[in-house]
C-alpha cells in the first residue's frame, strides 16, 4: 500500500495537472495576487507568534504605567519566565511556579498558565494567540494589517475589530517575537511595547528570586 506521503504527492500532482489543463497563466497570476482573507490574516499572525515559542530569547517590555516586564524563553528543555510588576510566572515541562512578592508556589505543570497570567499587566504571546484563535471564530470580526518598526526590528501588525468596546492590535517581529500589544477590552486600555531584545537569557531567568519563600504544591 502506498504511504500517506506518496498518496499526498500523487494527489497534488493530479491536482496540478488538472489546474494547468483548465486554467491559463493569467488565472494563476490573479489567484496569487488575491488579497488575504480575514481568516488568512489571523492564522498567519498566530502562526508567526507560535514560531517564536521555538526560540531562545529575552524580551523586555514597557507596560501600563510605564513599568517594565520581561519574557524569557529557552529550549531543551523548554521553559519560560514572565516577570511583571508585583509577580513572576515560571513554566517548565514539569512544574509551574507563581510568585507574588516574596512568596512563590510550585505546582504541577499547567499548560494554560501563560495564557492567563491572572491580573498581570503583561500580555504573553500565548494570550495573544488565544485572542487570535477566538477572533478567527467570529464572522463579525474585521481586520486591518500594517507594518511598523519597533526597537529597530520590522514587525507585521494586525488590528482586530470585533466591537467598539473590544479591539486589539498585535505586532509580531519577523522572528516571531511579540513586539507590541494594545487593546481596549470592556473599556479597559492595555498597552505593551517591546523595548529590548536579546537572543540570550539571564542565568537566573528561571530561578525563584533570592530570599523568596517557595511552597511546593506539586502532586505527589
Amino acid at each position: 500500500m502506498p504511504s500517506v506521503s506518496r498518496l499526498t504527492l500523487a494527489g497534488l500532482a493530479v491536482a496540478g495537472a488538472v489546474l494547468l489543463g483548465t486554467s491559463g497563466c493569467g488565472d494563476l497570476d490573479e489567484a496569487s495576487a488575491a488579497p488575504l482573507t480575514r481568516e488568512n490574516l489571523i492564522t498567519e499572525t498566530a502562526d508567526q507568534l507560535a514560531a517564536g515559542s521555538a526560540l531562545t530569547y529575552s524580551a523586555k517590555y514597557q507596560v501600563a504605567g510605564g513599568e517594565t516586564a520581561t519574557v524569557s524563553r529557552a529550549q531543551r528543555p523548554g521553559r519560560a519566565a514572565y516577570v511583571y510588576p508585583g509577580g513572576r510566572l515560571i513554566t517548565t515541562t514539569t512544574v509551574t511556579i507563581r510568585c507574588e512578592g516574596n512568596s512563590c508556589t510550585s505546582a504541577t505543570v499547567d499548560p494554560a498558565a501563560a495564557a492567563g497570567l491572572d491580573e498581570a499587566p503583561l500580555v504573553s504571546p500565548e494570550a495573544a494567540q488565544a485572542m487570535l484563535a477566538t477572533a478567527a471564530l467570529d464572522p463579525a470580526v474585521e481586520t486591518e494589517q500594517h507594518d511598523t518598526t519597533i526597537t529597530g526590528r520590522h514587525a507585521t501588525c494586525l488590528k482586530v475589530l470585533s466591537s467598539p468596546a473590544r479591539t486589539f492590535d498585535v505586532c509580531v517581529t519577523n522572528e516571531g517575537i511579540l513586539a507590541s500589544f494594545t487593546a481596549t477590552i470592556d473599556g479597559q486600555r492595555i498597552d505593551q511595547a517591546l523595548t529590548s531584545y536579546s537572543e540570550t537569557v539571564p542565568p537566573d531567568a528561571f530561578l525563584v528570586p533570592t530570599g523568596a519563600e517557595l511552597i511546593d504544591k506539586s502532586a505527589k
Side-chain angles (χ1 to χ4, degrees), residues 41-217:
L41 289 172
I42 293 175
T43 300
E44 183 180 80
T45 304
D47 288 347
Q48 196 171 351
L49 269 176
S53 64
L55 302 177
T56 292
Y57 69 89
S58 181
K60 289 187 177 181
Y61 297 90
Q62 179 175 300
V63 295
E67 297 192 84
T68 300
T70 304
V71 174
S72 298
R73 193 182 297 276
Q75 312 298 324
R76 299 180 184 178
R79 54 207 187 279
Y82 310 84
V83 181
Y84 47 87
R88 175 185 306 242
L89 171 66
I90 302 170
T91 64
T92 72
T93 55
T94 57
V95 298
T96 296
I97 300 174
R98 291 184 182 275
C99 300
E100 292 185 10
N102 290 322
S103 178
C104 298
T105 301
S106 174
T108 52
V109 64
D110 178 5
L117 283 180
D118 294 332
E119 300 300 320
L122 172 67
V123 175
S124 67
E126 293 83 359
Q129 288 181 61
M131 292 184 69
L132 286 166
T134 299
L137 299 175
D138 186 350
V141 161
E142 296 181 4
T143 58
E144 298 175 4
Q145 189 179 59
H146 60 98
D147 292 343
T148 189
T149 300
I150 299 177
T151 64
R153 294 178 178 275
H154 175 267
T156 301
C157 306
L158 186 68
K159 186 173 185 178
V160 179
L161 308 94
S162 57
S163 70
R166 190 174 183 86
T167 67
F168 66 92
D169 192 321
V170 55
C171 296
V172 187
T173 69
N174 292 345
E175 299 92 343
I177 307 303
L178 181 62
S180 70
F181 187 92
T182 58
T184 301
I185 301 177
D186 299 329
Q188 181 179 358
R189 180 69 176 176
I190 300 172
D191 202 341
Q192 171 178 326
L194 183 70
T195 57
S196 67
Y197 170 81
S198 173
E199 294 180 353
T200 60
V201 298
D204 61 348
F206 310 107
L207 300 179
V208 171
T210 302
E213 177 187 9
L214 178 61
I215 302 172
D216 189 358
K217 293 185 176 181

